[in-house]
Amino acid sequence: CVLTASFAGCSTKEEKAEESAEEALEKVGVDADIDGDKMTIKGPDGQQVAISSGTWPESALGKSIPAFTKGSIESVVESADSLMVTIYQVDQQDAAAYIEENKPDFPLDNTEMSAEGLISWGGANDAGFKLALTHQDDCLSVTLLKEKD
């Protein structure tokens, strides 16, 4: 903390805001690291949850399914065994095409639902992954879970 405080005068407003937020979270027992638009929260068991926005995740989970390249990524929440991406400004046709693109890799336990303004699909694979894709209004929700070994 001493080193952080000694350089505070050279920090940008954004860096000072990040430091203040980190300090406030630490005071309530939350171990967090804020870096620009990404926040990583560390649990007492060593697990981490990263929260960000703007780009498709480059983690192993993010790379295990095709990146969705349309729309605006509003939030990404990921841990070692789960990934949730919320994307706005997505046309239903683009969401339906993304569902079709993912179906061959998740052939087990398929569920599909469609109603006015809503499409939803889920599947699993032999590698222990479960994928759920839901589009409603202009929002696509992508949830990928890795079952614990």
Side-chain angles (χ1 to χ4, degrees):
C1 286
V2 175
L3 184 61
T4 302
S6 68
F7 287 106
C10 300
S11 300
T12 65
K13 287 182 183 180
E14 184 177 293
E15 289 169 335
K16 287 181 185 177
E18 289 172 8
E19 290 171 13
S20 295
E22 286 176 12
E23 288 173 10
L25 289 168
E26 286 174 8
K27 285 181 183 177
V28 294
V30 177
D31 184 5
D33 179 32
I34 302 171
D35 184 14
D37 68 348
K38 184 175 184 178
M39 178 171 60
T40 303
I41 301 170
K42 299 170 190 151
D45 59 358
Q47 288 229 352
Q48 295 186 14
V49 175
I51 304 167
S52 62
S53 65
T55 59
W56 188 263
E58 294 185 15
S59 64
L61 278 178
K63 291 179 180 178
S64 69
I65 57 175
F68 188 80
T69 59
K70 312 251 180 178
S72 173
I73 296 177
E74 293 295 317
S75 70
V76 176
V77 179
E78 59 184 318
S79 67
D81 57 4
S82 67
L83 170 67
M84 293 171 279
V85 182
T86 304
I87 310 161
Y88 285 94
Q89 301 172 349
V90 177
D91 292 332
Q92 188 167 354
Q93 302 89 324
D94 293 330
Y98 188 64
I99 288 171
E100 292 302 319
E101 180 180 4
N102 280 282
K103 280 183 177 181
D105 294 328
F106 295 88
L108 308 174
D109 302 329
N110 281 192
T111 59
E112 196 159 358
M113 184 177 80
S114 179
E116 187 173 330
L118 169 77
I119 55 173
S120 182
W121 171 86
N125 63 23
D126 289 330
F129 288 96
K130 293 182 178 183
L131 178 64
L133 304 172
T134 302
H135 180 271
Q136 186 170 14
D137 300 322
D138 72 340
C139 178
L140 176 64
S141 172
V142 178
T143 304
L144 180 65
L145 303 174
K146 170 76 170 130
E147 292 185 357
K148 301 205 186 308
D149 299 324

